[in-house]
Amino acid sequence: MKLQGLSLGAAVLALVLAVPLGIRDPFFQNILILTVLYTALSQAWNLLGGYCGQVSLGQALFFGIGAYASTILFTRYGVSPLAGMMLGGLLAALVGLAVGWPCFRLRGHYFVIATIVVAETGYLLFLNWDWAGAATGILIPFKGESIVDFQFQTSKLPFYYGIVTIAAVLWVFSYWIARSKWGFYWRAVRGNPDAAESLGVRIFRYKMAAAAASAFFTGICGSFYAQYVSYIDPDSVLAFNQSVLISLPTVLGGIGTLWGPALGAVVLIPMSELVRAYLGGTGQGTDLIIYGALIVGVATLKPEGLCGLIADLCKRGKRAARQAAGEGA
Amino acid sequence: MSVESVAQVIASGLLMGLIYALIAAGLSLIFGLMDIVNFAHGEFLMTAMYLTFGLNLLLTLDPLALLPVVAALMFLLGVVIYRTVIRRAMQARTSVWMAQIFVTFGLAIMMRGLAQLIFTPEYRSIRHHWLSDRSVDLLGVYLSLPQLAAAGVCLLGFLGLYLLIARTDFGRALEATREDKEAVALVGINRDLIFALGWGIGGAAVGIAGVMLASFYYIYPGVGANFALVAFITVALGGFGSLGGALLGGIIIGLVEAITAMLVEPSLKSIGIYAVYMLVVLLRPRGLFGYL
Amino acid sequence: MLLAVDDVSFHFGGVLANQDVSLTVAEGEILGLIGPNGAGKTTLFNIIAGALRPSEGRIRFCGEDITGRGPNVCCERGIARTFQVVKSFEAMTVIENVMIGAFCRTGRERVARGVAREVIEWTGLDGRRDALAAELTPPEKRRLEVARALATRPKLLLLDEVLAGLTPTEAQAGVKLVRDIHARGISVLMVEHVMEVLMPLVDRVVVLNLGKLLAEGRPIDIVRNEDVIAAYLGEKFRARA
């Protein structure tokens, strides 16, 4: 069972690493990078929302903190974005703990609303914070191709491999933690907090751990994004839309599953980019309609998401195979 | 900071507060009834505003005249959404509340996308209306007439809602369903009908607010999101499920917002209400009159 | 003395749910807690389990004061409980449910799985090991509730009406389970309404009425106690005893 999960992961990784060899067009490479980025972002969301059951619609806060931290460190103090990513992630994790401390006493939709308000507060603060660029944002000047400075202009491939590394690390982390006491306790907190408490689970502690892990990886992704697009402002990294976008792949793919975020991202991101590219001005909003419809569809018809759908198909396939074998014999 | 300017701030805060109160009332009603937070509530408001804009353009009728039409349409929208989507989500096998959150969420995204598609992201405003941009001078305080009318209608709408809940049989059935969803079937109350009507009334309430807002506020696809957040905070402050809480909460939020705009700076006016929200979370999570 | 409840009172909103209640549970004992509805049994139960903090009084477990320290601390100290309305982790399998209990004593998944397997076997849930909790029948869910609590290796198990609403066969199976639990050295405090099944099972009985301790003693004495008969039992048990 364990080997099956890991070997599947390895196979997917090999595929993912090989893909850019066949895709040379920068437009499609961009789609690839964004897909992997949102896989990672949503996987981070999944840790807190899917496994631990604490639905956060304020992840943009951590995304933005990561982005701003590494950007400011790089543009003003010359700190390598590679270090900036780590620091951004750590800072985001600290903020996650600080935010979680008052908010985790709330349950269900009360908690969701709290995450929205907190993130909006962050957005508003950065919008008016002159030192951090306020509404104008911060531009990252190109200093030359460099791994240490994490800047590349001639090819998008280094960015691609960078985000794949981040996503792969996160995937391994999720795989490991889902099988550990942490993962089990998270699922217990999600399933029934009262029962969990009566079985010795210190709920608050585990929620905080989930928040820290989720925020950390989200922050790292934010730093990556800043280096990739070379320009950040509150509207692009801290806005509510970003928080929504981060949660959607997992909702579509399967909340609380290992592959859900990836499946959902693979469906949503290319679809949205292509729709936007081909429908452009007159079709503005179409991608939102499709997003929304998919989410409504999943939530009403198959809450387990695409992963659940695939599991059902597998079960049906196995049953059919067994029947055929039985009849054959 | 003269007395007049303070009075001005308080007056406009009060007026907006009454509008917030009605928006929050619809949200609170649905929540109190079936434990669902309608994350598409803002988009309901947006829909009402666009409906008003569209009908105003077509029929050149003042928003006030369009009020009954739009309110009725919004009532229907609420019922339809409950019947088609919400009811399904309530039947999910596991983590029902998560399915509910994302269903209303998905709806919100769809509705916003639709608005973008039909009306484009451009800011719109109502052109034909009786009150236009006139304002009235009350003891040195200038009150915009559309805003005054909006606040007045919203207050009336709120009173209507209160009378409906407190004085009619339907209202009693609503309360009963809210208190014990399981038991009401035993006394012959059709739970499904109550839920549908609850969504309808919630839709109509936010619809009325939307019509009045459209007469003086800019209309664009994202307008609902801002008001929704304020509505959530209002309901959190007043207490989920409490109509009186929505009224008091709305007024407090309106005032806090206006005072913050004056004391700090207009672009940061929301900071005040976010701070109020955090205080509520820290000190009294169930709000002023809530049930939690 | 394993558990000592000293003069516990609990009031909320003007209602006095428990008033100066004291009781003890000795090691290796099965104690029955009975009384009419509204007597305060559930409140007392929740206080002992750490879910409620008493307005007055202390709870001592193995000599340590655990008053109001919370359900997770009580569990760590060795008190496990079931819920009257079953609270299983619906989306997790039976073994995963029980593993949550087992994780109380270990950090390692393999160890927890082993403990869970063992508990599942002797509580008779082996056939449903990989079924989702949501798919279980109500009696099975109740059994799961008990198994999960047992996986925390408690010294004292609090059972909240585990025998209610069962068919005679199911009730007998339930009694056997309690006896097996007792045979493993775990003390039991059970709240019950089903007298026919409870009385032969327990060593001692505590009767609550209107929030206060009404009587305490051996089952055979309790069924003859005039106050208890008047307040709760009625004549039918006396005639049989």
Side-chain angles (χ1 to χ4, degrees):
Chain A
M1 198 47 164
K2 263 179 254 177
L3 222 57
Q4 193 182 47
L6 280 172
S7 51
L8 180 63
V12 170
L13 183 62
L15 186 69
V16 165
L17 289 171
V19 159
L21 302 175
I23 297 183
R24 301 297 169 90
D25 186 337
F27 172 73
F28 290 105
Q29 284 183 338
N30 177 50
I31 294 182
L32 273 178
I33 292 174
L34 289 177
T35 304
V36 180
L37 174 67
Y38 278 94
T39 300
L41 279 170
S42 214
Q43 183 72 284
W45 180 92
N46 195 22
L47 291 175
L48 181 62
Y51 289 108
C52 198
Q54 310 303 305
V55 173
S56 158
L57 287 175
Q59 294 295 86
L61 179 66
F62 309 124
F63 189 66
I65 287 176
Y68 271 92
S70 73
T71 301
I72 290 175
L73 284 170
F74 181 52
T75 54
R76 295 206 198 149
Y77 304 103
V79 175
S80 153
L82 297 177
M85 256 182 238
M86 288 296 135
L87 290 168
L90 278 169
L91 188 60
L94 283 170
V95 174
L97 290 172
V99 165
W101 188 72
C103 290
F104 278 136
R105 70 181 67 186
L106 303 169
R107 288 194 188 174
H109 18 246
Y110 302 101
F111 175 75
V112 183
I113 293 172
T115 61
I116 299 177
V117 176
V118 168
E120 278 301 290
T121 310
Y123 170 75
L124 205 58
L125 286 173
F126 272 89
L127 204 61
N128 288 277
W129 194 6
D130 293 315
W131 182 76
T136 333
I138 304 179
L139 190 68
I140 303 177
F142 185 67
K143 291 191 195 159
E145 300 262 337
S146 151
I147 293 182
V148 173
D149 286 345
F150 209 66
Q151 290 187 308
F152 317 96
Q153 241 176 30
T154 51
S155 162
K156 289 197 195 287
L157 281 185
F159 283 120
Y160 179 71
Y161 289 117
I163 192 63
V164 167
T165 309
I166 294 173
V169 169
L170 181 52
W171 186 90
V172 171
F173 176 79
S174 308
Y175 180 85
W176 167 74
I177 213 161
R179 274 154 188 70
S180 73
K181 178 172 175 175
W182 297 87
F184 273 88
Y185 270 11
W186 281 350
R187 289 161 66 198
V189 170
R190 173 183 171 186
N192 201 313
D194 289 330
E197 252 194 328
S198 76
L199 293 165
V201 179
R202 286 179 192 254
I203 295 189
F204 186 70
R205 190 182 289 188
Y206 284 87
K207 283 185 185 179
M208 290 289 258
S214 176
F216 177 71
F217 285 105
T218 308
I220 289 183
C221 288
S223 304
F224 168 85
Y225 181 76
Q227 288 303 117
Y228 178 55
V229 297
S230 303
Y231 168 70
I232 57 169
D233 69 344
D235 275 320
S236 61
V237 297
L238 283 164
F240 180 59
N241 290 327
Q242 193 63 258
S243 294
V244 172
L245 216 56
I246 289 174
S247 68
L248 290 183
T250 305
V251 177
L252 178 63
I255 299 178
T257 65
L258 192 58
W259 290 105
L263 280 174
V266 160
V267 170
L268 287 176
I269 303 298
M271 181 271 299
S272 126
E273 293 295 311
L274 291 169
V275 162
R276 229 178 297 161
Y278 288 110
L279 288 181
T282 50
Q284 239 177 23
T286 316
D287 60 332
L288 287 178
I289 297 176
I290 301 179
Y291 269 6
L294 280 170
I295 299 302
V296 171
V298 164
T300 48
L301 301 170
K302 192 82 192 150
E304 299 86 35
L306 292 172
C307 272
L309 209 65
I310 293 176
D312 281 351
L313 289 170
C314 282
K315 248 185 254 170
R316 230 177 279 172
K318 273 190 208 152
R319 213 181 300 153
R322 235 181 292 142
Q323 275 178 342
E327 280 160 25
Chain B
M1 219 186 330
S2 62
V3 178
E4 274 94 24
S5 60
V6 170
Q8 182 79 56
V9 162
I10 293 185
S12 61
L14 204 62
L15 293 183
M16 273 317 275
L18 286 171
I19 300 172
Y20 289 152
L22 188 60
I23 299 174
L27 192 65
S28 198
L29 183 71
I30 293 174
F31 178 79
L33 190 58
M34 45 206 297
D35 248 341
I36 295 182
V37 173
N38 180 15
F39 280 96
H41 199 68
E43 274 62 33
F44 273 45
L45 183 75
M46 175 202 77
T47 306
M49 290 172 83
Y50 270 114
L51 275 172
T52 311
F53 171 74
L55 289 172
N56 176 270
L57 215 56
L58 279 172
L59 309 171
T60 66
L61 283 172
D62 184 88
L64 270 172
L66 293 168
L67 189 62
V69 177
V70 176
L73 285 172
M74 291 303 297
F75 178 89
L76 271 164
L77 182 68
V79 173
V80 165
I81 285 187
Y82 166 75
R83 274 269 151 77
T84 54
V85 166
I86 306 295
R87 195 162 50 173
R88 277 274 181 80
M90 287 169 72
Q91 290 159 355
R93 252 195 334 161
T94 50
S95 294
V96 179
W97 66 270
M98 235 192 238
Q100 291 165 359
I101 289 178
F102 284 109
V103 123
T104 54
F105 218 76
L107 262 174
I109 298 173
M110 266 184 89
M111 288 164 90
R112 205 179 317 178
L114 224 80
Q116 248 183 30
L117 192 63
I118 301 175
F119 292 99
T120 84
E122 260 183 58
Y123 281 42
R124 311 280 182 173
S125 61
I126 300 268
R127 241 157 282 162
H128 317 273
H129 63 113
W130 303 331
L131 300 167
S132 54
D133 289 313
R134 271 181 276 155
S135 57
V136 70
D137 186 340
L138 217 69
L139 306 167
V141 175
Y142 283 93
L143 299 171
S144 132
L145 218 49
Q147 204 177 15
L148 189 61
V153 169
C154 284
L155 187 60
L156 283 172
F158 206 97
L159 288 173
L161 203 61
Y162 169 73
L163 286 172
L164 183 71
I165 305 287
R167 296 292 161 89
T168 64
D169 275 340
F170 168 71
R172 270 186 279 276
L174 211 70
E175 278 293 306
T177 311
R178 190 239 304 258
E179 282 206 31
D180 195 337
K181 290 188 255 291
E182 320 295 322
V184 286
L186 298 171
V187 293
I189 293 178
N190 183 346
R191 206 175 71 174
D192 192 56
L193 186 64
I194 298 286
F195 285 165
L197 289 175
W199 272 82
I201 294 174
V206 75
I208 293 172
V211 173
M212 300 318 297
L213 263 179
S215 64
F216 68 90
Y217 210 87
Y218 279 121
I219 306 164
Y220 57 99
V223 73
N226 299 329
F227 281 96
L229 192 56
V230 178
F232 289 142
I233 295 178
T234 305
V235 180
L237 173 62
F240 278 90
S242 161
L243 267 191
L247 184 61
L248 191 57
I251 293 174
I252 294 177
I253 292 298
L255 287 171
V256 168
E257 190 185 57
I259 293 173
T260 313
M262 175 179 77
L263 288 177
V264 182
E265 106 168 45
S267 63
L268 279 169
K269 66 177 174 160
S270 304
I271 285 283
I273 59 180
Y274 296 160
V276 167
Y277 174 79
M278 290 314 297
L279 278 173
V280 172
V281 165
L282 286 169
L283 301 174
R284 198 181 164 93
R286 65 185 173 95
L288 294 169
F289 307 114
Y291 298 96
L292 204 76
Chain C
M1 213 31 70
L2 190 65
L3 176 79
V5 176
D6 296 326
D7 289 322
V8 158
S9 297
F10 186 83
H11 33 93
F12 63 97
V15 176
L16 197 62
N18 290 136
Q19 197 177 352
D20 298 322
V21 177
S22 296
L23 62 82
T24 60
V25 178
E27 266 192 58
E29 195 180 25
I30 305 183
L31 181 72
L33 182 60
I34 67 173
N37 280 320
K41 305 190 298 294
T42 312
T43 310
L44 185 65
F45 194 89
N46 280 315
I47 290 174
I48 297 172
L52 285 177
R53 174 184 272 274
S55 316
E56 276 145 39
R58 314 258 99 214
I59 311 277
R60 251 172 275 272
F61 186 70
C62 294
E64 186 191 344
D65 189 334
I66 58 158
T67 321
R69 294 200 47 201
N72 38 31
V73 172
C74 286
C75 182
E76 284 167 20
R77 294 287 179 274
I79 302 179
R81 67 163 296 171
T82 64
F83 289 90
Q84 191 178 348
V85 178
V86 162
K87 289 186 199 259
S88 39
F89 303 122
E90 299 281 298
M92 295 167 78
T93 62
V94 166
I95 188 163
E96 286 171 340
N97 264 267
V98 181
M99 279 170 78
I100 300 291
F103 270 121
C104 182
R105 302 291 169 204
T106 174
R108 301 181 51 216
E109 190 254 1
R110 208 167 294 178
V111 175
R113 199 173 281 269
V115 170
R117 271 217 184 96
E118 187 220 320
V119 173
I120 285 176
E121 235 187 88
W122 73 261
T123 54
L125 281 167
D126 204 40
R128 304 288 268 150
R129 181 163 20 121
D130 294 312
L132 282 180
E135 293 162 12
L136 263 50
T137 64
E140 282 174 334
K141 276 193 188 173
R142 235 184 248 178
R143 201 163 271 260
L144 174 61
E145 191 96 335
V146 176
R148 212 172 52 175
L150 287 169
T152 66
R153 298 262 184 265
K155 299 196 187 105
L156 172 66
L157 182 62
L158 307 174
L159 297 173
D160 198 349
E161 298 196 33
V162 280
L163 302 174
L166 297 176
T167 67
T169 332
E170 289 167 350
Q172 283 312 310
V175 167
K176 177 175 184 305
L177 180 59
V178 177
R179 288 225 166 91
D180 287 341
I181 292 171
H182 180 236
R184 281 167 187 251
I186 301 172
S187 312
V188 176
L189 190 159
M190 34 194 317
V191 171
E192 261 323 321
H193 275 298
V194 191
M195 292 304 124
E196 295 89 349
V197 191
L198 182 77
M199 292 303 188
L201 181 58
V202 301
D203 299 319
R204 260 193 322 133
V205 176
V206 165
V207 188
L208 285 188
N209 190 31
L210 300 173
K212 288 195 252 196
L213 188 73
L214 182 62
E216 185 194 338
R218 298 177 306 156
I220 197 156
D221 299 323
I222 290 295
V223 297
R224 295 206 193 114
N225 183 308
E226 296 297 337
D227 297 323
V228 177
I229 291 175
Y232 182 47
L233 286 179
E235 292 291 333
K236 103 174 148 167
F237 294 100
R238 176 176 26 207
R240 264 193 246 158

